[in-house]
Amino acid sequence: MSLVVYLAAAVLALSAAVLFRRPRTTPVRPSALRNALTVSTCVAITLGAVVFLCSAPMTLAAVNDLTGVPNFGAPLTYGLLSAYSCSLLILLINWRGGPREQVRRLVLRSIAVYAPLIVAIVVLFTLADARVERLTDLDTYYANTPGMREMIVLYLLGHSAAIVAMAVVCVRWGREVTGLLRAGLWLIFVGAVLDLVGFQFAKYTAVVARWTGHDLDFLSTQVAPPMAALAALICSVGFVLPRLLPAAVAHWRGLRDHRRLDPLWLRVGFVSTAPKPPSSWWQSPAERLHYREVAIHDALLALAPYFDDRVRERARGAALAEGRSTHEARLLAEAAMVGAAVRRAAAREEPLETVSAYRLHATEVSGAGGLVELAQALGGTDIPATMREGTVRAF
């Protein structure tokens, strides 16, 4: 049981760490709201990880031994679970957004409800007689004990209220949005339903069974913990997916375009005078791609005096004669012109007397798309030996 709970805690902690360290490449909201959303998401997921960590039997035994108080881990875990429930509500409030004062008011209301709940859990445990240490079946063992009984019901009701509210908000909001946000909300809803049915219903049933003189402890000790772990993981995926996936896609595109620019950079990089980027291992693919774009544009500008329109026109005519489209013919013609300019520059020939006024397609479009097309058109030609032996360094 401890292994399953520890695994869930580790996955949640990793999710929080990745989310907190992600590059800020998707700024859609004002920075203050974005920071509040990031912090509240990380806090909620981290609290979930801490709850699972504290609820493991091995951890409970260690906490009890350390404090010298039998079952001290119970109010600690239940208090943290209530704080986790509150953090889920705060996360949804920040995620939904709205006027800053309204968001702040709703956050304070959530705290005002759950802070007394946590205090009540601690007070009830202090007043109760719980001298027998129970690591796996405390809820059912003390289901009829004054003080402990109320504490158990109180933490379950607090968690249920938060999960039900979260499920309702997800359903309502999910009808208004589309795309990744909607997918994330439905994942959160699935996790909430799984928590309600698999964890809370099992706990309630086992406790009520004890009240009526029956024994359904297995629901509390064997069914509820793994279901709670699965529900928390699904909810975390729902919270993290809409925030991390766009950044992950941007990273992948940056890596792809950076690699696809290699044929062009290997030819023109030796004439670039653009400043070298800082060699940091944590530099994002988008930053590396930006540096390479700047350097290539600088190199093409330096090669402009060597551009020969006659080479371009001959290559364009040959491409059209082969049945190429107008756009393909233009790219192949530009690649031939750039290749010829590179050979002249590498041989240190004098620039052409008549400077071409032609503008490359890559300089007419924004982003890396035009450069990538030019690089792919150049990809089929041989790299001059001068280029291979030069001082080109990959950005």
Side-chain angles (χ1 to χ4, degrees):
M1 183 60 69
S2 293
L3 180 61
V4 174
V5 177
Y6 284 146
L7 180 60
V11 173
L12 290 174
L14 180 61
S15 301
V18 171
L19 180 63
F20 185 75
R21 290 293 299 168
R22 72 169 178 80
R24 275 55 172 175
T25 56
T26 56
V28 178
R29 297 167 177 248
S31 58
L33 289 178
R34 188 170 68 250
N35 292 338
L37 180 57
T38 299
V39 170
S40 59
T41 304
C42 291
V43 168
I45 297 177
T46 301
L47 279 175
V50 174
V51 169
F52 282 112
L53 180 65
C54 291
S55 65
M58 290 178 59
T59 305
L60 291 174
V63 169
N64 295 339
D65 291 341
L66 183 65
T67 60
V69 179
N71 300 311
F72 184 87
L76 176 64
T77 302
Y78 297 159
L80 287 170
L81 179 61
S82 299
Y84 171 64
S85 301
C86 181
S87 70
L88 291 177
L89 293 179
I90 293 174
L91 172 54
L92 280 177
I93 292 169
N94 284 312
W95 202 5
R96 183 63 188 250
R100 184 172 299 181
E101 285 301 318
Q102 180 184 359
V103 171
R104 181 174 177 272
R105 185 169 58 251
L106 292 174
V107 168
L108 291 177
R109 285 180 182 176
S110 300
I111 296 174
V113 170
Y114 280 89
L117 176 64
I118 296 172
V119 173
I121 288 173
V122 175
V123 171
L124 287 170
F125 175 78
T126 304
L127 298 176
D129 182 6
R131 302 176 185 178
V132 180
E133 183 182 57
R134 310 301 296 185
L135 300 179
T136 59
D137 62 345
L138 183 140
D139 289 347
T140 51
Y141 185 85
Y142 288 107
N144 293 304
T145 302
M148 294 293 286
R149 175 182 57 222
E150 288 76 14
M151 181 192 73
I152 293 166
V153 172
L154 200 59
Y155 97 79
L156 285 174
L157 288 176
H159 187 57
S160 297
I163 296 300
V164 169
M166 187 170 67
V168 171
V169 170
C170 287
V171 171
R172 290 179 178 176
W173 193 10
R175 296 170 180 170
E176 303 172 7
V177 297
T178 58
L180 283 176
L181 182 55
R182 185 175 185 178
L185 288 171
W186 282 113
L187 281 173
I188 297 170
F189 174 77
V190 170
V193 171
L194 194 60
D195 189 294
L196 285 170
V197 176
F199 173 71
Q200 296 173 45
F201 182 75
K203 285 284 187 179
Y204 282 124
T205 302
V207 170
V208 171
R210 279 287 184 146
W211 291 349
T212 58
H214 298 84
D215 185 354
L216 294 177
D217 290 7
F218 76 95
L219 292 175
S220 178
T221 58
Q222 300 179 27
V223 176
M227 295 299 285
L230 181 59
L233 291 175
I234 293 176
C235 284
S236 297
V237 172
F239 283 123
V240 170
L241 180 67
R243 310 209 62 219
L244 282 186
L245 189 58
V249 171
H251 271 49
W252 179 82
R253 288 176 177 170
L255 289 171
R256 179 199 61 186
D257 289 343
H258 188 275
R259 185 180 64 254
R260 295 176 70 187
L261 285 175
D262 281 346
L264 179 57
W265 175 242
L266 288 172
R267 286 161 174 79
V268 306
F270 74 106
V271 298
S272 176
T273 59
K276 296 294 188 293
S279 55
S280 301
W281 65 269
W282 61 82
Q283 193 177 46
S284 70
E287 291 172 326
R288 296 180 62 201
L289 177 61
H290 173 71
Y291 277 115
R292 177 163 284 192
E293 287 182 66
V294 171
I296 290 177
H297 278 296
D298 180 79
L300 291 176
L301 184 62
L303 289 171
Y306 295 95
F307 286 168
D308 191 338
D309 289 331
R310 293 170 298 179
V311 172
R312 178 175 53 80
E313 288 297 334
R314 286 197 299 268
R316 181 176 181 275
L320 290 174
E322 293 176 359
R324 306 274 187 164
S325 68
T326 304
H327 184 63
E328 287 179 319
R330 179 182 181 181
L331 291 176
L332 290 172
E334 291 178 353
M337 183 174 66
V338 170
V342 166
R343 286 189 289 272
R344 290 193 183 95
R348 301 191 178 185
E349 297 180 7
E350 292 295 325
L352 299 177
E353 294 182 1
T354 304
V355 179
S356 173
Y358 181 79
R359 290 191 62 189
L360 295 172
H361 171 68
T363 64
E364 295 178 344
V365 296
S366 60
L371 291 176
V372 168
E373 288 183 313
L374 180 59
Q376 298 306 298
L378 274 168
T381 60
D382 293 333
I383 300 177
T386 307
M387 301 304 99
R388 294 196 299 267
E389 299 169 359
T391 58
V392 179
R393 294 184 182 275
F395 285 0

